[in-house]
Amino acid sequence: TAKTSYTDALSLKAEEAYPKTQIQKIDALLASQQAEAEKAAQLAAAEKALSEKYASIIKLADSQFSSGDYTTAKTSYTDALSLKAGETYPKTQIQKIDALLARQQAEAEKAAQLSRNKQMLNEKYLLLISSADKFYEKESWSYALVDYKKALKIKPEETYPQNQIDEIELLLENLKKQEEEKLLAINQYKTIIQEADLLFEQEEFLLSKSKYEVALDLKPQESYPKNQIKRVKVILDNLKRAERNKQELEIKYQNEIAKADKFFENGDYSVARHHYQAALKLKSVEEYPKEKLTEIENRLAALKKKEDLALEAQKNNNFEKNLGILKERNYSDLIGKADQSLNQENYKVAKVLYEKALELFERDYPKQKIEEINRLIRDQRRSKQSQAYKDLITRADKELEAEHYAVAKFYYKKANDLVSSDDYPKDQLEKIKHLMNARKNQKVDKEYQSLLSKADAALKKGNLTVARFYYEKAGNLKSEEKYPKQKLKTIQLEQSKK
């Protein structure tokens, strides 16, 4: 407006200098104002751009912070602070991030230490289980029990050591119970045998037989009550059949006498003596076999004396003949002693004597007697072993049916030791081996799947350290499996990226 007025004045007096000077001053002032306005506008635009860039970086940093990407967020907050060093917000956020990163580092180190501790415990656990299993296979039950308990203390949640402990304790309890029952049975057995023997001496045969049977139930392997029961049965049968067998006894007696007389007439005095003794056993009151036995002894004594004299007289001339007579005399003595031992049921002694007689003369009589003794010994042994073997098999089958494999194995082994020719206990032992392996494999499979489930869940959540721990456990449990190894490689790659 002032410039317009000066311009109007100059139009009236164009030669006047004053309005011209004022107009120049106004133009200079307006130019200065225009320049300052433009400069202020530029400064405002720059400030606006700086604020917008700062706000954008802060927004990005906040987003990174919210997503947990703390390291990148810290970089962004630092960039924002470089734009506006006076701002407190990015400084505060950087302090928060430093605290969070420090806490994460501490937690990672703690988790790593925990992982190492767990790995050490796991290795110790596996060593104890391996040691316990070896003791278990050797049937060193006490040592196995100690190691299984130590393993369970390390990992109380594991079922395998607890199952093994339960099985061993059951086995030990059964063995203890068996020993107690055995001791009780021995005491009862002795008392009942005494009662049975007293009744037997009193000729109360039926009552004594009942007592012997009770004793045999307590100790089935004992031969004495069996033999006594047999004796009682024989006595009872003889009493019942006394009249009926009288004629049969007489026939047997006469047959033995006839055989004895025949051998006596032929000069085979040792065999004759055996048959006279047999006849005398049939009818001990008869005098004839006693007289003949006395006569045989006298004849043998006379022959011996004669042989001694003949040997002395013809020592140099008839050595071979005298030697034959001496052998015959020795043969007769051996046969007589063998027959006596056989009659007394001293089978081993009788067999040795018959064998010595057979070395002197290859004759049928000692051969037949040796075969007879072998049959008697076999029958006696079979009788003793049979019942004990059946009892062991019955006990083992019962324990196997109850799935008490270790106990069943114990009894099958005892049965096999007693009768090694039977394949049944061997087959059952092989079956138990497969069942025990299957049970162990089943437990391992279950534990393996549990570890994989935990590992997969941890990996899915991004907990790489935890996932690695469980995959390593699974890999140690089943070293042939590829899956845990593949997952461990994946985890290693993920961790190397960070």
Side-chain angles (χ1 to χ4, degrees):
T1 302
K3 184 180 178 181
T4 302
S5 296
Y6 284 126
T7 301
D8 289 344
L10 193 61
S11 66
L12 293 175
K13 287 183 177 186
E15 71 281 1
E16 288 292 327
Y18 179 75
K20 289 180 181 178
T21 301
Q22 291 301 102
I23 289 171
Q24 288 174 353
K25 287 182 179 179
I26 289 170
D27 285 339
L29 287 168
L30 289 173
S32 177
Q33 285 180 347
Q34 179 66 30
E36 288 177 358
E38 288 176 357
K39 185 179 179 181
Q42 287 177 354
L43 289 171
E47 181 65 27
K48 182 180 179 183
L50 182 65
S51 297
E52 288 176 352
K53 186 177 181 180
Y54 171 83
S56 175
I57 292 172
I58 289 296
K59 184 178 180 181
L60 175 62
D62 287 343
S63 175
Q64 292 166 342
F65 183 88
S66 298
S67 65
D69 191 357
Y70 301 126
T71 304
T72 308
K74 182 180 179 180
T75 302
S76 298
Y77 283 127
T78 303
D79 291 342
L81 197 60
S82 68
L83 295 176
K84 290 189 176 185
E87 290 293 328
T88 58
Y89 179 72
K91 292 179 182 178
T92 303
Q93 291 300 96
I94 288 169
Q95 289 173 353
K96 286 182 180 179
I97 288 170
D98 286 341
L100 286 169
L101 289 174
R103 189 166 63 197
Q104 282 186 340
Q105 178 65 23
E107 288 176 353
E109 290 175 357
K110 185 178 179 182
Q113 184 61 44
L114 182 62
S115 176
R116 287 192 293 272
N117 292 341
K118 286 185 177 179
Q119 179 66 22
M120 289 174 62
L121 284 174
N122 184 60
E123 290 173 358
K124 187 176 180 181
Y125 170 82
L126 293 175
L127 284 173
L128 285 168
I129 289 295
S130 175
S131 172
D133 286 344
K134 288 177 183 177
F135 283 128
Y136 181 93
E137 290 298 323
K138 293 177 183 177
E139 296 184 1
S140 299
W141 310 120
S142 298
Y143 291 112
L145 193 62
V146 169
D147 283 349
Y148 281 131
K149 285 183 177 180
K150 286 181 180 178
L152 187 64
K153 192 173 181 180
I154 293 172
K155 292 190 178 184
E157 74 282 1
E158 295 292 334
T159 58
Y160 177 71
Q162 185 60 59
N163 290 338
Q164 293 298 93
I165 289 168
D166 292 342
E167 190 166 325
I168 290 172
E169 286 179 344
L170 178 62
L171 173 64
L172 293 175
E173 184 182 345
N174 284 338
L175 289 174
K176 183 181 178 182
K177 185 178 179 182
Q178 184 183 0
E179 287 300 317
E180 290 173 351
E181 290 175 352
K182 185 178 179 181
L183 183 61
L184 180 62
I186 289 171
N187 294 332
Q188 291 178 337
Y189 173 82
K190 290 179 179 178
T191 302
I192 293 170
I193 286 294
Q194 290 174 354
E195 294 173 356
D197 288 343
L198 181 61
L199 290 168
F200 184 86
E201 290 172 6
Q202 295 171 350
E203 297 186 0
E204 295 288 346
F205 299 119
L206 284 173
L207 292 175
S208 69
K209 179 173 174 289
S210 298
K211 290 287 184 179
Y212 286 129
E213 286 171 347
V214 172
L216 191 60
D217 288 338
L218 290 173
K219 297 186 74 174
Q221 73 281 7
E222 289 295 326
S223 60
Y224 180 74
K226 291 180 184 177
N227 293 334
Q228 288 301 96
I229 289 169
K230 289 178 183 177
R231 287 181 66 188
V232 170
K233 285 181 179 179
V234 169
I235 291 170
L236 291 173
D237 289 343
N238 287 338
L239 290 173
K240 290 178 182 178
R241 298 193 304 265
E243 289 300 321
R244 188 178 62 197
N245 292 341
K246 188 174 181 181
Q247 186 177 0
E248 184 180 344
L249 182 66
E250 182 64 27
I251 292 170
K252 288 181 180 179
Y253 173 79
Q254 292 300 334
N255 285 337
E256 292 293 339
I257 291 296
K259 290 177 185 177
D261 288 343
K262 183 177 179 182
F263 284 114
F264 183 84
E265 289 172 6
N266 293 333
D268 198 345
Y269 298 125
S270 296
V271 182
R273 178 170 54 189
H274 170 75
H275 288 292
Y276 283 129
Q277 287 173 343
L280 195 59
K281 279 189 175 182
L282 293 172
K283 297 179 73 174
S284 58
V285 295
E286 292 293 327
E287 293 297 325
Y288 178 74
K290 294 178 183 177
E291 293 172 358
K292 299 302 288 183
L293 285 169
T294 301
E295 187 175 348
I296 287 172
E297 294 300 324
N298 292 334
R299 290 200 178 194
L300 287 173
L303 283 172
K304 184 176 181 301
K305 185 175 181 181
K306 185 178 180 181
E307 287 167 5
D308 291 341
L309 291 172
L311 282 171
E312 186 65 29
Q314 302 178 13
K315 186 178 292 184
N316 297 323
N317 298 328
N318 299 312
F319 177 75
E320 291 184 2
K321 182 178 178 182
N322 292 335
L323 184 62
I325 295 169
L326 182 62
K327 281 176 67 179
E328 186 66 47
R329 186 183 68 197
N330 289 339
Y331 174 82
S332 298
D333 287 342
L334 288 168
I335 291 295
K337 291 176 182 177
D339 289 342
Q340 185 178 1
S341 297
L342 179 60
N343 291 334
Q344 295 171 351
E345 298 183 0
N346 293 330
Y347 300 135
K348 290 183 180 179
V349 175
K351 185 178 179 182
V352 170
L353 293 170
Y354 284 127
E355 287 172 346
K356 285 184 178 180
L358 198 59
E359 289 174 3
L360 294 174
F361 293 107
E362 190 75 16
R363 292 176 180 174
D364 290 337
Y365 181 75
K367 290 180 182 178
Q368 293 170 356
K369 287 298 175 182
I370 288 170
E371 289 178 3
E372 181 183 343
I373 289 170
N374 287 336
R375 283 196 301 273
L376 289 169
I377 291 173
R378 281 197 301 271
D379 291 343
Q380 191 179 61
R381 187 182 298 118
R382 285 172 186 164
S383 177
K384 289 179 179 178
Q385 289 180 342
S386 178
Q387 190 58 46
Y389 176 76
K390 287 178 182 177
D391 291 343
L392 287 168
I393 291 295
T394 301
R395 188 73 177 268
D397 288 343
K398 183 179 178 182
E399 297 296 343
L400 179 59
E401 186 178 351
E403 298 184 0
H404 299 154
Y405 299 139
V407 182
K409 181 180 176 182
F410 173 78
Y411 288 117
Y412 282 128
K413 277 186 176 180
K414 277 190 165 292
N416 187 61
D417 292 341
L418 192 63
V419 183
S420 58
S421 59
D422 193 350
D423 290 334
Y424 179 73
K426 296 184 180 71
D427 294 340
Q428 293 300 90
L429 285 168
E430 190 66 26
K431 181 180 178 180
I432 288 173
K433 182 179 177 182
H434 291 311
L435 288 170
M436 290 176 77
N437 286 336
R439 175 187 279 181
K440 186 176 180 181
N441 291 336
Q442 187 178 9
K443 291 173 183 175
V444 171
D445 289 341
K446 186 177 179 181
E447 186 175 357
Y448 175 75
Q449 292 300 329
S450 174
L451 289 169
L452 286 186
S453 298
K454 292 176 182 177
D456 290 342
L459 183 61
K460 189 175 181 181
K461 293 177 181 177
N463 297 331
L464 301 182
T465 303
V466 177
R468 182 179 62 190
F469 172 73
Y470 285 116
Y471 283 129
E472 286 176 348
K473 282 188 71 175
N476 290 333
L477 199 60
K478 283 193 171 187
S479 57
E480 74 280 1
E481 292 292 331
K482 295 179 180 178
Y483 182 74
K485 296 175 184 176
Q486 294 170 349
K487 289 297 181 181
L488 286 169
K489 287 181 180 178
T490 303
I491 291 171
Q492 189 176 6
L493 289 172
E494 288 293 326
Q495 290 179 329
S496 65
K497 291 178 183 178
K498 296 182 178 181

